[in-house]
Amino acid sequence: MTIKLHEKILLTGAAGGLGKVLRESLKQNCTTLRLSDRADFGPARAGEEVMLADLADADAVDAMVQGVDAIVHLGGVSVDGPYLPIVQANILGLFHLYEAARKHGVKRIVFASSNHVVGYYSQGETIGIDAPPRPDSFYGVSKAFGEDLSKFYFERYGIETACVRIGSSFPKPVDRRMLATWLSYGDLHRLITACLTTPVLNHSIIFGMSNNAVTWWDNSGAKHVGYVPQDSSDQFREEIYAQTAAPDLNNPAHTTHGGGFVVQGPY
Amino acid sequence: MTIKLHEKILLTGAAGGLGKVLRESLKQNCTTLRLSDRADFGPARAGEEVMLADLADADAVDAMVQGVDAIVHLGGVSVDGPYLPIVQANILGLFHLYEAARKHGVKRIVFASSNHVVGYYSQGETIGIDAPPRPDSFYGVSKAFGEDLSKFYFERYGIETACVRIGSSFPKPVDRRMLATWLSYGDLHRLITACLTTPVLNHSIIFGMSNNAVTWWDNSGAKHVGYVPQDSSDQFREEIYAQTAAPDLNNPAHTTHGGGFVVQGPY
Amino acid sequence: MTIKLHEKILLTGAAGGLGKVLRESLKQNCTTLRLSDRADFGPARAGEEVMLADLADADAVDAMVQGVDAIVHLGGVSVDGPYLPIVQANILGLFHLYEAARKHGVKRIVFASSNHVVGYYSQGETIGIDAPPRPDSFYGVSKAFGEDLSKFYFERYGIETACVRIGSSFPKPVDRRMLATWLSYGDLHRLITACLTTPVLNHSIIFGMSNNAVTWWDNSGAKHVGYVPQDSSDQFREEIYAQTAAPDLNNPAHTTHGGGFVVQGPY
Amino acid sequence: MTIKLHEKILLTGAAGGLGKVLRESLKQNCTTLRLSDRADFGPARAGEEVMLADLADADAVDAMVQGVDAIVHLGGVSVDGPYLPIVQANILGLFHLYEAARKHGVKRIVFASSNHVVGYYSQGETIGIDAPPRPDSFYGVSKAFGEDLSKFYFERYGIETACVRIGSSFPKPVDRRMLATWLSYGDLHRLITACLTTPVLNHSIIFGMSNNAVTWWDNSGAKHVGYVPQDSSDQFREEIYAQTAAPDLNNPAHTTHGGGFVVQGPY
Amino acid sequence: MTIKLHEKILLTGAAGGLGKVLRESLKQNCTTLRLSDRADFGPARAGEEVMLADLADADAVDAMVQGVDAIVHLGGVSVDGPYLPIVQANILGLFHLYEAARKHGVKRIVFASSNHVVGYYSQGETIGIDAPPRPDSFYGVSKAFGEDLSKFYFERYGIETACVRIGSSFPKPVDRRMLATWLSYGDLHRLITACLTTPVLNHSIIFGMSNNAVTWWDNSGAKHVGYVPQDSSDQFREEIYAQTAAPDLNNPAHTTHGGGFVVQGPY
Amino acid sequence: MTIKLHEKILLTGAAGGLGKVLRESLKQNCTTLRLSDRADFGPARAGEEVMLADLADADAVDAMVQGVDAIVHLGGVSVDGPYLPIVQANILGLFHLYEAARKHGVKRIVFASSNHVVGYYSQGETIGIDAPPRPDSFYGVSKAFGEDLSKFYFERYGIETACVRIGSSFPKPVDRRMLATWLSYGDLHRLITACLTTPVLNHSIIFGMSNNAVTWWDNSGAKHVGYVPQDSSDQFREEIYAQTAAPDLNNPAHTTHGGGFVVQGPY
C-alpha cells in the first residue's frame, strides 16, 4: 500500500545506489519527484525534475529545497574516509538543508542515518532505538550529528524528521553480517513511505532492516511510524553460510554492529 | 477460541455502545450473562438476566454484584464533561463496585479503563504499559483513579483486575487517529476473553487495540494476559486518508494520544 | 533562609496537626496568611485571615481560593476510614479546589500527598519519586488521585503543583518506622518553602522526610525543588530502639512503607 | 532450516528426556554427534559416538570434551532435591566442563539453564531476559550459578554461551502452567540450532518457549540469537482447561513462574 | 552509635584479616560474640566463645550456627585460586550455613560478598546495586552464587541477608585503586552494624566503601540499610599518587573494578 | 587538594572568560601550562608558554597539540550564532584537535561541553548524565557533536575525554537560572582537576555546577570522576530573588535548562 500525500518530494543522492532504487518507487508517493545529486546523472523522466546541488553550497541547497513538500535525504558522503569531505557534505551540508527547509516551510524530512551511529555495539546484543550512540567512524559521527541537528529543528521549529538507520540495502545479502542488517528494496520503500505518511512523526529514530531472524535491533519503540517489513534474509541464510567463512571473534570488524567500518582509518 | 470458565458474568454499561456489542459475544463466556445499566433497556433474552443499578447507589451496586463470578465493568461516564457526574459514577461508583466485589467474593474484574489515562503523550512516541499516567481530562483522571483503586484491591484483597485501556472500538475506523487506536469488535471480545481466562492475572494494564500498523502503544509488558489481536486497521488506511484532512500539528487534538479530549472543557 | 515571594498564601487544614505548625512558620513566606479549615478554630491573628470552608462545598472552596497567590493544601481527610468522607473531601473537594485555582488564576499549589500512595512497598527496598503508585488504603488511593488530578491541571492549564508525600511529621519520632519517615517541623517548613519558591516547579513529586540515616525514599529525581533537609532522626535512634519492640516481619504493618495503614479496614 | 556448522557436537545428558529428543534432531547440525550421560544408555548409532562421564569427575569430563567443536549441555541434575548432588553435578560439574572447554578450545556452549532461575516471579507479570534472578529452589540457584560462571568464561576467555532457560519441553502441554511455558520439540531444536549458528552469540540469555499466546517471558532482548518459534500451545488450550482445575491463587505453586518448584523442600 | 539488638552473634572467618578487626568492634553489638574459623586461633576472651568449624563439614557448621541470633559471615576462601577449595568453602559451605540458619531459626545474616561480583565493570563507569553481575574470577562467581542463594532463602524462608560487597578494608589505602574501594575499619563496623540493626533488611546488596571522592559504586538504592560512612580515602590521595605509578590503561588489572583479580588464573 | 600529574597541559581558549580563570589555577596541575587562543593575548608568564592557533587551521592545531600531556579544551565558539563559524571552530576544529591528539599520543582531554546539549529539558525536571541530548541551539548541537566525536576517539583509540557540561561559571550568580547552574571558579578548578587526575576516566559526561540547592542535574552516574563541589549558590539566593523578576512560565527562555539560548535565532 502506498499512500500519496505529497505534491513534490525531493530525493537527494538520487544518483547513488539507493537513490536509483527510490527514484523508481518514490514516484508513487508524489505527483512530482525532484531528484538531486552532486553531479549530472542525466535528464529527468516523466514525473521527475532534476536539480543538481553540491550540499556544501548553501545557495544551491536553498534552491534545491524550495518548492517541495517533503525531503528524502540520501545525499552526502555515505562511506567512511577523511573528515573534510564529511564535514562539507554531511555536516555543513545538513545545516544548509535544514535551514532551507525552515525557510521554505518543508515540514517533514526522512534522513538517511546509519547503523554506524551505533556501530560499536556488539553483534551479540540487541539494542532499541534509545540506546546511546556509539559511532564507529567519522561517517558514523556525522550521522549522529544529523540526528542531533534534526532533533533541534523539531524542538525549535516543528520540522519532523525520521532518522532511518539504514542497515544494508542491497538486492540480497552477501555476507553473514548482512543476514542481520539486510533491508530489501521493497522494505526500504515501505519504510520510507511509512515515515512520509504516518500522521504524527515528531523526531523519530528507526532501524532500517527487513524482518530478519537474526537481528540486533529492536524497533518496538517506533511503532508510531507504522513500518511493517515483509521481507526476510532467512531465505539466503544457507547460501550465505555456505559461501562465507565463520567470523573471527577477535576481529571487531566481524563482531560489531558497524562491521568493517570499525577498523577503517586513520586517514 | 472462547473458553467458558464462569457461571455468571456481570456486564455493566450493557446499554452503551460497547455494552451492546459485548452483550452478544460474552454469552459464549458464561452460562448466564447478567446485564446492568443505569436505565431500563428492555427485557432479558435467553441466557441473560437484567439488574438495573445507578453506580452512585451503593445498595443497588451491591445487589447487582451479588451472585456473579466475574465482572466486565463498562459502566459509568464514558466521555468527558463536568466532574460531578464523573465523581458519582466513575469514582464513588467504583468504590461501591469494588466493595461489593470484596463482600461477595468476586475475584476477577475487567475494568474498562481508557487511553485517556495517557492522553497527553504525543502520537509521535510509543509507550508501554508502564508509562506514567498523563490523564487528559476529568474522564481520564477518573480512569487513572480506577487503575489505582483496583491495584489497592488486588494488593489488599487479592481481587484481580485487568485495566483495559480501550482505544476506539467501532465497526471501523473513521479518522486518522483511529487508524492507530482502532479495536475491532472481534478483537474486543478476544481481549476481554483473554482477561477473563488467563490463569493468573494479578493487576494488569493492557492497551485495547487491534494489530494496527501505526500504533503508539506496546503491549509487550502484558504478554501474560494472552491477548493476540487478529484484525487490523490497515485495510481502511487509504480510504481514511482520502476522506480526511491532514492533522494540524499545532493542534494538540490532532497530535496527542487523547485526541479531542485534550481540548475539551473547562466546563 | 526563607524567601517571601507571595502576597497571600492560603493554608488549608489550618486547624490540624501540621496546619498548626505551618500556621506559625508560613507567615514568613507571605504578607498575609489565609487560614482555612472545616470548623471554627478561633480568630485570625496579626498577618492572618480566616475563611472557613467545607471542601465538599464548591462555592465555599471557590471563595476560599479567591484572592490568593499560592495554596498549601493540607485540608481533607488525613487518616484512613470509610470511603464516603474521603470521596467528599479528598476527591470532590480537590476538584473544587483546582477548579477554583483555575478560575482565579492561582498558579502554584503545594499538595499534601502521602507516603501511603506507595504504602505497599517493602521497608527493605528504596524507591525513587518515579516508582509506580502502590496505594495502601482508601486514603492512599485518594492521594494518588490528587497526584493525577494535579498533573492534569499542570498539563492543561499550567498550574504547578508539588505533591509532597509527607512521611511522619511530629516533634520527634516515636516508633521504629518513624526513624525512616520522620520529617521535623523545621524540615517541613524548609520543604514547603522550597516548593513555593523554586523558580520552575512543573508537576513534581517529592518525599517529605528529614535527613534520616535509614530511609526508603530517594529524592534525587527532585533536585529541581531545592529541598535540603537539615535535621535527622538519628539522634533518637537508640532511645526508640530501647523503648519499642522489634518488628514482626510477618506483619505487613511492620514491614511496609505504609505501616499500620496496610492492615486497616475494611470499614 | 538447519545449518550445519560443526564437525562434532557434544550432547550431555543424552539419556534424559530432552537428550533423547535432541539426539535425533541434532544429528543434522554436525557430522558426528558425541553423546554423553552418567550411566550406560546403549551403543552409538550411525553418526554418533558415546562417551560416558560423571560430571563430578574432572578427568572424565575433560575426556568427554576433548575433540568437540561445540557443546549442548543438558547434563546434570534437572529437578530439585538435596543440595549435595546438585553441587556435585551442576556446580562442580560445570566448573569441570568449562575448564575442559577452555583447555580444549571449545568456543561455543549451549547451556540448559531453566525458568527456575526466575521462578519467584508471578505469572501475572511479564519479564524480559534482563530481569534479576529470583531462583526458586536449590536447582534454580545452581542454574543461576551456571549463568554467572559462563559469563565469567565469556568475559575472561571468550567462550560464548547461550543460557537457554527452558520452560516445559514435552510432546504437548499437560497443565495450565505449561500453556505458558511449553516448548515444542520442534521449537526446541530450532532454538538450539539458532544458538549454535548465530554468527556472534557472546553470553546470551534466552527463554525457551514456543509462540504461546499466554506467556510470561519476553525474548525481545535476544533477537541477535535469531530464534523464531513456529509452534504454539494454543491448540491445546481448550482441552487443558477442560481437564484441569482452576489455579488456587493462594498457592504459590499455581501462581509463580516456577510452579511446583517453589513449594518443594526443605530436604 | 552502636545499637545492641542481639544476644549472640556468630562471626565466621574470625581469624582472618577482617575477622580480627570485627572481633573487637562487634562485641558492642551483642552480649556474646561467637567466633569461628577453620583452624585454632587461640582461646576465647571475655564476652566471646569459640567454635571451630570447617565450612565443608555440614555437622560442624550446624553446631556452629545453633544458638545464635545473627551471623556475620566472613568465612570461606577470600582470594582467587583453584575452584575446588572455593566450591568446598564458598558454595557447599554456604549451603551448609543457610540450611543450619533455617533449621535453627537464625533470621538475619550479613554475608561478606565482594566487589569481584562486578569486577569486570570499568573503573571509568559508576554502577548501582542493581547492575547485573560480571564476576571476574572463580572467587567472584562464588560470591555471586552466595547472593543468589541468600535471595532464595529470603524468598522461601524469610531469612534476611545483607550482601556486603566489600571493597578494600585495610588500615589505609595502599594503591590508586584502593582510593576508590577503601573501606575504613570504622566504616566497616558502621556498615555491619547498619545491616544488623535496620528494622527491615529483606535481601539487600550494598557496596562496602567509605565516603571516598572517586568511587565506582552508588549505594543510593540501599538507603533502607542506613549506612552513613564517616571516613574518606581523600586524605591519602596525594601520598598514594606520589608513591605509585600511573595505571596502564591497556592492562585490565588497572582499569576494572576487580583490579588484579581479572588477570589471575587459569590455575 | 591539587595533584600534579602532568608535565605540560594545553589550555585552549585561554584568552576567554574561563580561560583567564583557569590560566591561574591550572598552573598547579602541571610544570608548564601551554596557552592557546585565536588571537594574541600577550606574552607568556613564568611557567607558561603561548602558542596561538585558529582551530580551523589543521596545521596550527597540530603544532599546538604537539608535546603536551593533556588538553583542557575551552576553545571555539562559546555562544550561539550563525552556523558557519560554529562549524569551523567547534566541528572542523574539533576534528583537527582529536586527530592531533591521536597523532601525538595525548591520552586525556577535558572537553568544555555545555548544558546546551540538554537545553530543551524543563527546569521543572532533574536529569542524569545519561539523559538523551536535546540541544537548544546550533551551539548546543556542536557540543553534542563533540561528545560523540570524543566517544569515537575513546572507543577507537583509547583517548579519554571528560565532557564537562559547564553551567554558568562566573564570580557569582546574577539571575535566577544561575542559582541552579552556577559553577564557582573554585569548583571549576576542582572539577577540571578531578577530570585530569582520576585514575580511569574513559569517556565520561559530567555536569559542571557547584553544590547548589536547586539544580536540575544529577551527577551520581559520574562518581568515578571524583568531583566534590565545595561552593553553593545558596548564599546568593535572597539577593538574586530581590533583584530579579519572577520567571514567565510561558517563556521557554525562563523555563528550560538552556535559558535564553532556546529563543535565539534564526540567524
Side-chain angles (χ1 to χ4, degrees), chain B residues 135-154:
Chain B
D136 61 12
S137 54
F138 291 156
Y139 170 71
V141 170
S142 77
K143 290 301 182 183
F145 161 83
E147 296 189 355
D148 285 334
L149 185 70
S150 54
K151 187 157 192 178
F152 165 70
Y153 273 89
F154 173 66

mmCIF file of all heavy atoms in Angstrom, chain B residues 135-154:
data_model
loop_
_atom_site.group_PDB
_atom_site.id
_atom_site.type_symbol
_atom_site.label_atom_id
_atom_site.label_comp_id
_atom_site.label_asym_id
_atom_site.label_seq_id
_atom_site.Cartn_x
_atom_site.Cartn_y
_atom_site.Cartn_z
ATOM 1 N N PRO B 135 -3.111 11.878 32.386
ATOM 2 C CA PRO B 135 -4.526 11.968 32.011
ATOM 3 C C PRO B 135 -4.839 13.280 31.320
ATOM 4 O O PRO B 135 -4.258 14.318 31.633
ATOM 5 C CB PRO B 135 -5.258 11.841 33.349
ATOM 6 C CG PRO B 135 -4.256 12.136 34.400
ATOM 7 C CD PRO B 135 -2.921 11.764 33.837
ATOM 8 N N ASP B 136 -5.776 13.221 30.396
ATOM 9 C CA ASP B 136 -6.031 14.361 29.519
ATOM 10 C C ASP B 136 -7.351 15.067 29.794
ATOM 11 O O ASP B 136 -7.727 15.956 29.030
ATOM 12 C CB ASP B 136 -5.991 13.911 28.058
ATOM 13 C CG ASP B 136 -7.039 12.864 27.724
ATOM 14 O OD1 ASP B 136 -7.948 12.632 28.545
ATOM 15 O OD2 ASP B 136 -6.953 12.266 26.639
ATOM 16 N N SER B 137 -8.058 14.667 30.849
ATOM 17 C CA SER B 137 -9.428 15.131 31.040
ATOM 18 C C SER B 137 -9.896 14.672 32.418
ATOM 19 O O SER B 137 -9.262 13.844 33.061
ATOM 20 C CB SER B 137 -10.324 14.508 29.965
ATOM 21 O OG SER B 137 -10.171 13.091 29.970
ATOM 22 N N PHE B 138 -11.019 15.226 32.863
ATOM 23 C CA PHE B 138 -11.608 14.705 34.092
ATOM 24 C C PHE B 138 -11.880 13.211 33.928
ATOM 25 O O PHE B 138 -11.653 12.415 34.845
ATOM 26 C CB PHE B 138 -12.919 15.438 34.395
ATOM 27 C CG PHE B 138 -12.749 16.878 34.787
ATOM 28 C CD1 PHE B 138 -13.794 17.783 34.597
ATOM 29 C CD2 PHE B 138 -11.569 17.345 35.358
ATOM 30 C CE1 PHE B 138 -13.665 19.112 34.981
ATOM 31 C CE2 PHE B 138 -11.433 18.676 35.731
ATOM 32 C CZ PHE B 138 -12.478 19.556 35.541
ATOM 33 N N TYR B 139 -12.378 12.883 32.761
ATOM 34 C CA TYR B 139 -12.654 11.472 32.479
ATOM 35 C C TYR B 139 -11.369 10.635 32.618
ATOM 36 O O TYR B 139 -11.361 9.588 33.270
ATOM 37 C CB TYR B 139 -13.221 11.351 31.066
ATOM 38 C CG TYR B 139 -13.332 9.944 30.555
ATOM 39 C CD1 TYR B 139 -14.289 9.064 31.064
ATOM 40 C CD2 TYR B 139 -12.473 9.474 29.563
ATOM 41 C CE1 TYR B 139 -14.379 7.771 30.592
ATOM 42 C CE2 TYR B 139 -12.567 8.185 29.084
ATOM 43 C CZ TYR B 139 -13.515 7.327 29.606
ATOM 44 O OH TYR B 139 -13.597 6.040 29.148
ATOM 45 N N GLY B 140 -10.292 11.106 32.006
ATOM 46 C CA GLY B 140 -9.027 10.379 32.092
ATOM 47 C C GLY B 140 -8.532 10.252 33.522
ATOM 48 O O GLY B 140 -8.006 9.209 33.933
ATOM 49 N N VAL B 141 -8.707 11.311 34.299
ATOM 50 C CA VAL B 141 -8.303 11.247 35.711
ATOM 51 C C VAL B 141 -9.143 10.199 36.444
ATOM 52 O O VAL B 141 -8.623 9.437 37.282
ATOM 53 C CB VAL B 141 -8.458 12.636 36.386
ATOM 54 C CG1 VAL B 141 -8.288 12.526 37.899
ATOM 55 C CG2 VAL B 141 -7.449 13.623 35.819
ATOM 56 N N SER B 142 -10.411 10.114 36.108
ATOM 57 C CA SER B 142 -11.261 9.130 36.804
ATOM 58 C C SER B 142 -10.853 7.705 36.443
ATOM 59 O O SER B 142 -10.979 6.784 37.258
ATOM 60 C CB SER B 142 -12.745 9.369 36.477
ATOM 61 O OG SER B 142 -13.090 8.887 35.191
ATOM 62 N N LYS B 143 -10.347 7.516 35.224
ATOM 63 C CA LYS B 143 -9.895 6.176 34.845
ATOM 64 C C LYS B 143 -8.545 5.858 35.510
ATOM 65 O O LYS B 143 -8.280 4.719 35.903
ATOM 66 C CB LYS B 143 -9.798 6.065 33.324
ATOM 67 C CG LYS B 143 -11.178 6.071 32.637
ATOM 68 C CD LYS B 143 -12.055 4.924 33.126
ATOM 69 C CE LYS B 143 -13.410 4.842 32.460
ATOM 70 N NZ LYS B 143 -14.249 3.761 33.001
ATOM 71 N N ALA B 144 -7.691 6.850 35.637
ATOM 72 C CA ALA B 144 -6.446 6.639 36.389
ATOM 73 C C ALA B 144 -6.768 6.273 37.840
ATOM 74 O O ALA B 144 -6.127 5.387 38.425
ATOM 75 C CB ALA B 144 -5.577 7.911 36.338
ATOM 76 N N PHE B 145 -7.773 6.945 38.386
ATOM 77 C CA PHE B 145 -8.228 6.582 39.727
ATOM 78 C C PHE B 145 -8.647 5.110 39.773
ATOM 79 O O PHE B 145 -8.297 4.366 40.695
ATOM 80 C CB PHE B 145 -9.402 7.485 40.135
ATOM 81 C CG PHE B 145 -10.219 6.926 41.261
ATOM 82 C CD1 PHE B 145 -9.845 7.088 42.574
ATOM 83 C CD2 PHE B 145 -11.369 6.180 40.983
ATOM 84 C CE1 PHE B 145 -10.587 6.532 43.604
ATOM 85 C CE2 PHE B 145 -12.120 5.625 42.002
ATOM 86 C CZ PHE B 145 -11.729 5.791 43.321
ATOM 87 N N GLY B 146 -9.386 4.685 38.784
ATOM 88 C CA GLY B 146 -9.836 3.297 38.758
ATOM 89 C C GLY B 146 -8.672 2.316 38.705
ATOM 90 O O GLY B 146 -8.707 1.247 39.319
ATOM 91 N N GLU B 147 -7.640 2.671 37.991
ATOM 92 C CA GLU B 147 -6.460 1.803 37.942
ATOM 93 C C GLU B 147 -5.803 1.723 39.322
ATOM 94 O O GLU B 147 -5.339 0.654 39.732
ATOM 95 C CB GLU B 147 -5.486 2.302 36.877
ATOM 96 C CG GLU B 147 -6.080 2.218 35.459
ATOM 97 C CD GLU B 147 -5.069 2.502 34.363
ATOM 98 O OE1 GLU B 147 -3.916 2.856 34.679
ATOM 99 O OE2 GLU B 147 -5.440 2.366 33.172
ATOM 100 N N ASP B 148 -5.759 2.844 40.025
ATOM 101 C CA ASP B 148 -5.158 2.836 41.363
ATOM 102 C C ASP B 148 -6.038 2.090 42.370
ATOM 103 O O ASP B 148 -5.536 1.326 43.202
ATOM 104 C CB ASP B 148 -4.952 4.274 41.855
ATOM 105 C CG ASP B 148 -3.776 4.951 41.189
ATOM 106 O OD1 ASP B 148 -2.850 4.242 40.757
ATOM 107 O OD2 ASP B 148 -3.767 6.184 41.102
ATOM 108 N N LEU B 149 -7.325 2.332 42.302
ATOM 109 C CA LEU B 149 -8.216 1.673 43.259
ATOM 110 C C LEU B 149 -8.161 0.151 43.080
ATOM 111 O O LEU B 149 -8.091 -0.604 44.056
ATOM 112 C CB LEU B 149 -9.662 2.159 43.073
ATOM 113 C CG LEU B 149 -10.637 1.600 44.109
ATOM 114 C CD1 LEU B 149 -10.369 2.192 45.490
ATOM 115 C CD2 LEU B 149 -12.093 1.857 43.703
ATOM 116 N N SER B 150 -8.158 -0.271 41.837
ATOM 117 C CA SER B 150 -8.138 -1.716 41.605
ATOM 118 C C SER B 150 -6.794 -2.317 42.009
ATOM 119 O O SER B 150 -6.728 -3.474 42.420
ATOM 120 C CB SER B 150 -8.470 -2.027 40.141
ATOM 121 O OG SER B 150 -7.635 -1.324 39.258
ATOM 122 N N LYS B 151 -5.742 -1.520 41.915
ATOM 123 C CA LYS B 151 -4.446 -2.021 42.392
ATOM 124 C C LYS B 151 -4.490 -2.244 43.899
ATOM 125 O O LYS B 151 -3.986 -3.256 44.400
ATOM 126 C CB LYS B 151 -3.336 -1.036 42.028
ATOM 127 C CG LYS B 151 -1.949 -1.567 42.350
ATOM 128 C CD LYS B 151 -0.881 -0.887 41.533
ATOM 129 C CE LYS B 151 0.446 -1.614 41.632
ATOM 130 N NZ LYS B 151 1.489 -0.992 40.807
ATOM 131 N N PHE B 152 -5.089 -1.302 44.591
ATOM 132 C CA PHE B 152 -5.248 -1.464 46.038
ATOM 133 C C PHE B 152 -6.037 -2.731 46.348
ATOM 134 O O PHE B 152 -5.644 -3.527 47.219
ATOM 135 C CB PHE B 152 -5.952 -0.234 46.626
ATOM 136 C CG PHE B 152 -6.472 -0.446 48.013
ATOM 137 C CD1 PHE B 152 -5.603 -0.573 49.088
ATOM 138 C CD2 PHE B 152 -7.836 -0.559 48.244
ATOM 139 C CE1 PHE B 152 -6.090 -0.784 50.376
ATOM 140 C CE2 PHE B 152 -8.327 -0.770 49.527
ATOM 141 C CZ PHE B 152 -7.447 -0.894 50.593
ATOM 142 N N TYR B 153 -7.135 -2.951 45.652
ATOM 143 C CA TYR B 153 -7.942 -4.132 45.957
ATOM 144 C C TYR B 153 -7.201 -5.423 45.613
ATOM 145 O O TYR B 153 -7.432 -6.454 46.249
ATOM 146 C CB TYR B 153 -9.303 -4.065 45.244
ATOM 147 C CG TYR B 153 -10.331 -3.328 46.064
ATOM 148 C CD1 TYR B 153 -10.481 -1.953 45.952
ATOM 149 C CD2 TYR B 153 -11.119 -4.001 47.005
ATOM 150 C CE1 TYR B 153 -11.404 -1.265 46.731
ATOM 151 C CE2 TYR B 153 -12.046 -3.324 47.787
ATOM 152 C CZ TYR B 153 -12.181 -1.962 47.649
ATOM 153 O OH TYR B 153 -13.092 -1.302 48.423
ATOM 154 N N PHE B 154 -6.311 -5.354 44.663
ATOM 155 C CA PHE B 154 -5.514 -6.551 44.394
ATOM 156 C C PHE B 154 -4.497 -6.782 45.506
ATOM 157 O O PHE B 154 -4.371 -7.908 46.016
ATOM 158 C CB PHE B 154 -4.803 -6.458 43.046
ATOM 159 C CG PHE B 154 -3.864 -7.604 42.847
ATOM 160 C CD1 PHE B 154 -4.347 -8.900 42.734
ATOM 161 C CD2 PHE B 154 -2.486 -7.422 42.829
ATOM 162 C CE1 PHE B 154 -3.484 -9.984 42.591
ATOM 163 C CE2 PHE B 154 -1.628 -8.492 42.701
ATOM 164 C CZ PHE B 154 -2.122 -9.779 42.573
#
